[in-house]
Amino acid sequence: MLTKRIIPCLDVKDGRTVKGVNFVDLRDAGDPVELAKIYADEGADELVFLDISATLEKRKTLAELVRHVAEVINIPFTVGGGISSREDVSAVLQAGADKVSINSAAVRNPGLINELAKEFGSQCVVVAIDTKMYEGKPKVHTHGGKIPTEIDTIAWAKEVEERGAGEILLTSMDHDGVKTGFACEITAQISSAASIPVIASGGAGTEDHFVEVFTGGCADAALAASIFHFKEIAIPHLKSYLHNKEIEVRLT
């Protein structure tokens, strides 16, 4: 059985790590380079860096900051935010990223997924899906969750796999930052619909929330931000807890 991965997320705006609730009301959470090193040293399995205002402000990801983060970690590193072309992907990979996360650009131009998978390999392409319930149905949102679409989340997950994505980063906007638990139902539906790994994001507040998303949610990995940034749960403690619950994790 593959081990379940614990992935801290650095949501970066103007060079600082930030965290909000339901994608708004952001507050400062620290220096991304310092946090990245701490998480790598604590035993995080991977790290995700999202320049959350890049798409909205039509900027490119901060390659220099990516480079500084890559210099202090030794774990797989995914970068997203404003990535919309092969040139953008090349830039962040050259800066030290192992994978790229695309969201708005993939919705706008689904063929980009095929193009990037062919050029860089599926293992390099993570499609981030920001989803929110609308009239009882999960709908994809873009531009940092600001713009709703009519796209069904589960259908989109199937399509991105077919187009060559190697992984899905699923964020429930309804659960983001509220610490009441991951969106296990939609996570399980997508894990069942797609054969590629699914990273669950949004809602982590307790150790048991991770247990739930790995069991009932069938997630391959779980991503969290504020509980790590504000030292509510330490990664070594979380992994020990999961191990004691008979969930396979990498122990350092």
Side-chain angles (χ1 to χ4, degrees), residues 44-114:
D45 297 293
E46 298 188 20
L47 186 72
V48 168
F49 173 114
L50 299 175
D51 188 1
I52 62 171
S53 60
T55 300
L56 188 64
E57 298 172 2
K58 295 182 170 57
R59 291 187 292 105
K60 300 305 179 188
T61 303
L62 302 175
E64 194 63 30
L65 186 53
V66 171
R67 186 172 292 108
H68 290 318
V69 170
E71 288 171 351
V72 300
I73 64 174
N74 58 355
I75 55 177
F77 179 30
T78 300
V79 174
I83 294 174
S84 60
S85 69
R86 286 183 296 175
E87 292 74 21
D88 294 339
V89 174
S90 291
V92 297
L93 294 180
Q94 289 173 11
D98 299 288
K99 297 184 267 189
V100 296
S101 170
I102 56 174
N103 182 344
S104 304
V107 174
R108 184 170 60 249
N109 172 23
L112 178 65
I113 303 170
N114 305 68

Side-chain angles (χ1 to χ4, degrees), residues 10-34:
L10 304 176
D11 292 319
V12 176
K13 181 177 173 64
D14 301 326
R16 296 287 293 179
T17 307
V18 296
K19 188 56 192 151
V21 176
N22 302 132
F23 282 41
V24 295
D25 298 328
L26 303 178
R27 60 173 172 152
D28 189 271
D31 177 75
V33 179
E34 292 177 4

